[in-house]
């Protein structure tokens, strides 16, 4: 596991006097900068995450800091009654939909239950940011060519693609008319845990699920 550093992508400055974003704190998220100068220089980019947290957290409150999302019509317990699970999220109550499909409430984020799973750096980052990815993008201008150790060594790419294919096949077998995306997420997550691998979408820039899915006319990407 890695200790989150400065929130600014690519910043490697040591944090001696951490500066937490006050707006993020309103949502119960502690995004830390290395100092006032870095915070001011990158705030226009950083503030995009506030809109995401507002949608997921119902707007935030300056009077109280939250450590967990509130019961705000976005997330419901996994054992909630069916009518509660299928209720509209708060953000969708006044939304003008173009078709008949409607969103439902989110189940809680699934946990990594296999202790042998190696977590990426964004798994524990409060903003879901991959600092290693940001550094790689900033320092590499050429297409990366993988060597024999990365292709054939321990935890190699060939093995990763093999188990990735197996997990996708497991998810594909769960597809049927009427199945929920949450059920597909459960299948994918459990298949990942069985193979000791991390479901890469989980917490990537705060994505709450282990697989990206699209339903009927809804575009996933």
């Amino acid at each position: 596991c890695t200790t989150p550093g400065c929130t600014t992508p690519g910043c490697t400055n040591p944090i001696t006097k951490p500066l937490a974003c006050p707006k993020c704190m309103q949502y119960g998220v502690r995004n830390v900068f290395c100092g006032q100068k870095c915070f001011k220089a990158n705030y226009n980019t950083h503030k995009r995450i506030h809109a995401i947290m507002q949608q997921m957290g119902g707007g935030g409150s300056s009077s109280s800091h939250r450590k967990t999302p509130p019961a705000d019509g976005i997330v419901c317990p996994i054992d909630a009654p069916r009518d509660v699970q299928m209720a509209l999220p708060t953000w969708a109550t006044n939304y003008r939909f173009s078709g008949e499909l409607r969103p439902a409430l989110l189940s809680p984020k699934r946990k990594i239950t296999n202790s042998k799973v190696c977590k990426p750096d964004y798994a524990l980052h409060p903003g879901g940011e991959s600092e290693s990815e940001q550094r790689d993008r900033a320092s590499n201008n050429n297409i990366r060519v993988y060597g024999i150790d990365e292709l054939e060594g321990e935890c190699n790419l060939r093995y990763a693609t093999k188990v990735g294919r197996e997990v996708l096949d497991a998810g594909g077998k769960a597809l049927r008319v009427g199945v929920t995306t949450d059920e597909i997420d459960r299948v994918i997550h459990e298949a990942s845990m069985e193979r000791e691998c991390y479901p890469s979408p989980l917490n990537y820039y705060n994505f709450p699920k282990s697989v990206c899915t699209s339903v009927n006319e809804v575009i996933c990407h």
Side-chain angles (χ1 to χ4, degrees):
C1 300
T2 58
T3 301
C6 179
T7 299
T8 300
C11 179
T12 58
N13 293 334
I15 299 180
T16 55
K17 295 182 179 180
L19 173 66
C21 172
K23 188 67 175 180
C24 289
M25 293 293 288
Q26 293 180 14
Y27 296 98
V29 176
R30 192 170 185 268
N31 280 328
V32 175
F33 291 83
C34 60
Q36 186 74 23
K37 183 178 180 180
C38 193
F39 176 69
K40 288 183 176 180
N42 295 279
Y43 185 73
N44 285 337
T45 300
H46 169 73
K47 68 180 182 181
R48 297 172 187 169
I49 197 175
H50 298 157
I52 299 173
M53 290 190 289
Q54 182 177 26
Q55 181 180 3
M56 296 183 66
S61 171
S62 59
S63 62
S64 62
H65 294 169
R66 299 177 178 136
K67 293 184 178 179
T68 57
D72 53 12
I74 304 297
V75 178
C76 71
I78 198 168
D79 57 351
R82 178 72 173 178
D83 59 328
V84 174
Q85 295 179 10
M86 301 306 293
L88 279 177
T90 301
W91 63 265
T93 52
N94 296 315
Y95 189 86
R96 296 179 63 184
F97 293 93
S98 59
E100 297 181 356
L101 205 61
R102 297 292 182 271
L105 297 181
L106 286 172
S107 62
K109 183 185 296 184
R110 301 185 190 279
K111 299 180 179 180
I112 302 302
T113 55
N114 190 328
S115 60
K116 295 182 179 180
V117 171
C118 183
K119 298 177 182 178
D121 54 359
Y122 61 83
L124 300 176
H125 192 284
E129 297 179 11
S130 174
E131 296 176 355
S132 60
E133 180 183 73
Q134 297 290 351
R135 289 194 299 270
D136 191 54
R137 287 179 177 177
S139 60
N140 290 300
N141 299 317
N142 301 315
I143 297 175
R144 185 176 180 181
V145 178
Y146 292 100
I148 189 65
D149 290 339
E150 294 165 307
L151 291 173
E152 304 291 353
E154 185 179 3
C155 299
N156 61 76
L157 286 173
R158 296 194 193 281
Y159 176 76
T161 55
K162 176 179 180 293
V163 296
R165 179 74 266 173
E166 292 176 359
V167 171
L168 285 176
D169 287 343
K173 292 177 181 178
L175 300 181
R176 63 183 184 277
V177 175
V179 69
T180 64
T181 54
D182 190 61
E183 172 62 11
I184 298 171
D185 180 75
R186 181 193 65 79
V187 172
I188 292 290
H189 188 86
E190 292 181 359
S192 298
M193 295 300 100
E194 291 172 0
R195 291 162 178 78
E196 300 178 5
C197 60
Y198 187 88
S200 58
L202 188 62
N203 203 50
Y204 185 68
Y205 286 89
N206 290 141
F207 188 75
K209 295 299 175 182
S210 297
V211 63
C212 301
T213 54
S214 59
V215 182
N216 300 347
E217 73 268 24
V218 175
I219 299 174
C220 184
H221 292 279

